[in-house]
Amino acid sequence: MITLKNVSLLRGVKPVLDGASATLHPGEKVGLIGRNGAGKSSLFSLLAGRLQPDGGDVEIPPSWLQPGGMAEVAQEMPETDEPATEFVLQGDTRLMAARQALAQAEAAEDGNAIGEAHVALADAGDFDAPARAQALLLGLGFQLAQTTAPVNSFSGGWRMRLQLARALMCPAQLLLLDEPTNHLDLDALVWLEGWLQRYEGTLLIISHDREFLDAITKVTLHLDEGKLTRYTGGYTAFESLRAERLSQHQAAFDKQQDRIAHLQKFIDRFKAQATKARQAQSRVKALERMEKLAPILTASDFEFEFPAPTSLPNPMLVMKDLSCGYTLENGESLTIVHGVNRSVLPGQRIGILGANGQGKSTLVKTLAHMLQAVGGTLTEGKGLSIGYFAQQELDVLRPEEGPLAHMIRLAKAAAQNGRGEAREQDLRDFLGRFRFTGDMVMQPVGQFSGGEKARLVLALVVWQRPNLLLLDEPTNHLDLTTREALSVALNEFEGTVMLVSHDRALLREVCDEFWLVTRGGVSTFDGDLDDYQKWLQEQAREVALAARAALASGNGSATGEAGGNRKEDRKAAAQARQRLAEQAKPLKTELKRVETRLAQAQSEQAQLGEALAQPGLSGVERAEQGKRFKALEEEVDTLEMRWLELTDAIEQLSA
């Protein structure tokens, strides 16, 4: 059992916890919620022992504080050449300890110790540990071929999935998960829901995804103004119970204010009259003894709106044989999505579905002109104004500048386009609506939290007064209050919305049609999110059936009726293999080109690295070579990502 008694915790001069108390029982699945900056991650650090309380007591079972008793997702990016499966295996600290004990016993030639180590290995599940690690990786969206790939070959988002798998691998009694869904697509998110529902230990999870919380948690712990309040139920139950509690609190507060006013009126009227002085004094004492109820705080409330667009071109966008991807420095193109023939009309609410790596972000970046189209045409309607929210906020933010500098730059660009001048005070007032006030408007963005960066990007998008919103995972890092404000604002927006998100509540509330990005193409998905999940399950079943059919067709021991149909089965299997080979051929051709260019870029990068390490370079030469090294580094990252996407696609076809 975890018990917090009157705990106080300071981060600098800011109180994170102020006399907070709470009790969590073994086996409970608890959602920890609160606005951005409330101190949720600091509470995790307190429970993990990285921070000590400034006051009060924190009681945690001693066994939970031992190695393997507690697990959480490491936030640092892993840098290692170890295979993915081996990296995940190391999350099982009990297994690693048993393996180390065996190695030491064998080195010491201690027979008893060797026997004990083998027993410990059996208890830790050494026999099937690699299979369990691979099952975690497959559930989180990795392909079978990737389970043996080195960790360094994966992009940042996939490495964070590896860290999540490593945490899940640990047989911990307490599991702390801080925003585990940020780097997951819908498929992996639903898988994680099922895994956590089966988890038998105590779970404490920070998430801003209400459907995810409702599916998993049975207790909600609300951190607000330094206090912890426990509610029974998931997030939806919490909303209802808190609304009732706030209503009761407000009624009690109003009643007390009436009582205080009545007492004060009596005191003011009779304190100077000798005959009433004693009664007046008793009322003064009653007023002093009264435990004052605080008014309901609404500082966590957040609202904003998108201004009405000045025009709504029809159509807004027309895509004709559009191909999206990347153009490399050598002029070659990497195509990820091709043959897109679609139009975007005023007022549409389009949700873009598809697994990670299929090209959702590439499509949105192309529409937002962050990437050049590699083929076909993209025609914009007259007066189109695009508001783009990048999945990685730093794609559009300058880390060294503050919010006000970003706004001033936007205002100057708008003035050049005839929008009119904007005073600095107007820009400060506008930023204040998004909780950027005082000195915070000058603070470098690089020092902001993920939620603050996301809020700033939202502010920049709103100020531009767009008529087409292209939103790529806008809810990453946003707290629940801000997500709800975004949902309301999008529903009231008069323009068009195109949304990529793994937040099912936002997709359900905002979108009324869906596009599916898969296998290099874009098509209309006829159904809702529940239908999409069923479609994914059907796809998985079809792949499994095809694999079994191919296996049966090559099995000469089949008898009876199955034997009579063997010839037709073999013919069907051969035709299926031919179709798959035709689909795989262009992918394999592109894969070969990518591998060739990747080897060239890595070789040049290595040579430049050696050159930069040599003394005697002039400042100009070092700057030029450094710039070239950076460009090669970015190209290598792009090529490696495309290599993974292509090998994934080929692996799926081979399956």
Side-chain angles (χ1 to χ4, degrees), residues 147-265:
T147 61
T148 56
V151 170
N152 284 345
S153 68
F154 295 100
S155 64
W158 287 95
R159 290 194 211 181
M160 292 313 296
R161 290 197 194 201
L162 287 172
Q163 292 283 37
L164 174 57
R166 186 173 170 131
L168 300 182
M169 189 69 192
C170 182
Q173 295 167 286
L174 174 62
L175 179 58
L176 304 175
L177 295 180
D178 190 347
E179 289 290 357
T181 64
N182 272 357
H183 300 283
L184 303 183
D185 53 20
L186 276 174
D187 313 355
L189 187 150
V190 172
W191 175 87
L192 180 61
E193 275 183 6
W195 194 96
L196 292 175
Q197 286 166 350
R198 296 188 298 273
Y199 175 66
E200 296 180 355
T202 303
L203 171 66
L204 192 57
I205 184 167
I206 299 171
S207 177
H208 299 307
D209 185 328
R210 60 185 302 145
E211 289 201 22
F212 186 69
L213 288 171
D214 277 340
I216 297 166
T217 62
K218 303 300 181 186
V219 175
T220 299
L221 202 59
H222 184 213
L223 176 55
D224 186 46
E225 301 298 329
K227 305 294 184 184
L228 289 167
T229 306
R230 179 187 167 107
Y231 295 84
T232 300
Y235 183 77
T236 299
F238 153 77
E239 274 191 321
S240 176
L241 291 169
R242 183 166 186 258
E244 183 179 345
R245 177 175 289 190
L246 290 177
S247 177
Q248 293 171 349
H249 184 102
Q250 185 65 48
F253 175 77
D254 292 342
K255 185 176 181 180
Q256 188 182 73
Q257 291 302 107
D258 290 341
R259 174 66 175 157
I260 290 172
H262 178 76
L263 290 172
Q264 191 65 50
K265 185 176 180 181

Side-chain angles (χ1 to χ4, degrees), residues 26-307:
E28 286 188 323
K29 293 182 171 65
V30 183
L32 176 60
I33 64 171
R35 68 182 186 277
N36 284 340
K40 301 185 294 295
S41 296
S42 296
L43 178 56
F44 267 25
S45 295
L46 183 68
L47 295 176
R50 292 188 296 275
L51 294 177
Q52 297 300 317
D54 295 291
D57 298 309
V58 179
E59 298 177 4
I60 299 177
S63 63
W64 293 12
L65 299 174
Q66 299 300 315
M70 184 184 303
E72 59 181 332
V73 180
Q75 295 303 307
E76 71 272 8
M77 198 72 70
E79 294 289 346
T80 176
D81 290 327
E82 288 178 322
T85 299
E86 184 59 32
F87 177 79
V88 171
L89 269 176
Q90 291 172 15
D92 190 337
T93 50
R94 187 174 63 165
L95 176 62
M96 292 299 106
R99 287 184 176 182
Q100 184 178 7
L102 178 60
Q104 292 172 346
E106 289 176 339
E109 297 182 350
D110 185 337
N112 288 332
I114 290 173
E116 291 173 357
H118 277 292
V119 171
L121 281 173
D123 290 342
D126 182 57
F127 178 74
D128 66 345
R132 287 187 283 117
Q134 288 188 349
L136 290 172
L137 290 170
L138 295 174
L140 289 173
F142 291 85
Q143 298 300 315
L144 188 59
Q146 292 176 303
T147 61
T148 56
V151 170
N152 284 345
S153 68
F154 295 100
S155 64
W158 287 95
R159 290 194 211 181
M160 292 313 296
R161 290 197 194 201
L162 287 172
Q163 292 283 37
L164 174 57
R166 186 173 170 131
L168 300 182
M169 189 69 192
C170 182
Q173 295 167 286
L174 174 62
L175 179 58
L176 304 175
L177 295 180
D178 190 347
E179 289 290 357
T181 64
N182 272 357
H183 300 283
L184 303 183
D185 53 20
L186 276 174
D187 313 355
L189 187 150
V190 172
W191 175 87
L192 180 61
E193 275 183 6
W195 194 96
L196 292 175
Q197 286 166 350
R198 296 188 298 273
Y199 175 66
E200 296 180 355
T202 303
L203 171 66
L204 192 57
I205 184 167
I206 299 171
S207 177
H208 299 307
D209 185 328
R210 60 185 302 145
E211 289 201 22
F212 186 69
L213 288 171
D214 277 340
I216 297 166
T217 62
K218 303 300 181 186
V219 175
T220 299
L221 202 59
H222 184 213
L223 176 55
D224 186 46
E225 301 298 329
K227 305 294 184 184
L228 289 167
T229 306
R230 179 187 167 107
Y231 295 84
T232 300
Y235 183 77
T236 299
F238 153 77
E239 274 191 321
S240 176
L241 291 169
R242 183 166 186 258
E244 183 179 345
R245 177 175 289 190
L246 290 177
S247 177
Q248 293 171 349
H249 184 102
Q250 185 65 48
F253 175 77
D254 292 342
K255 185 176 181 180
Q256 188 182 73
Q257 291 302 107
D258 290 341
R259 174 66 175 157
I260 290 172
H262 178 76
L263 290 172
Q264 191 65 50
K265 185 176 180 181
F266 186 95
I267 294 167
D268 293 341
R269 183 177 178 184
F270 296 115
K271 64 183 177 182
Q273 295 184 21
T275 56
K276 295 286 187 179
R278 183 172 294 177
Q279 290 112 313
Q281 189 59 35
S282 70
R283 282 162 175 75
V284 169
K285 292 180 179 179
L287 199 59
E288 290 173 349
R289 287 195 304 268
M290 187 181 294
E291 184 178 347
K292 303 294 192 301
L293 293 175
I296 294 175
L297 297 172
T298 57
S300 62
D301 294 341
F302 178 64
E303 294 179 349
F304 72 96
E305 62 181 5
F306 292 94

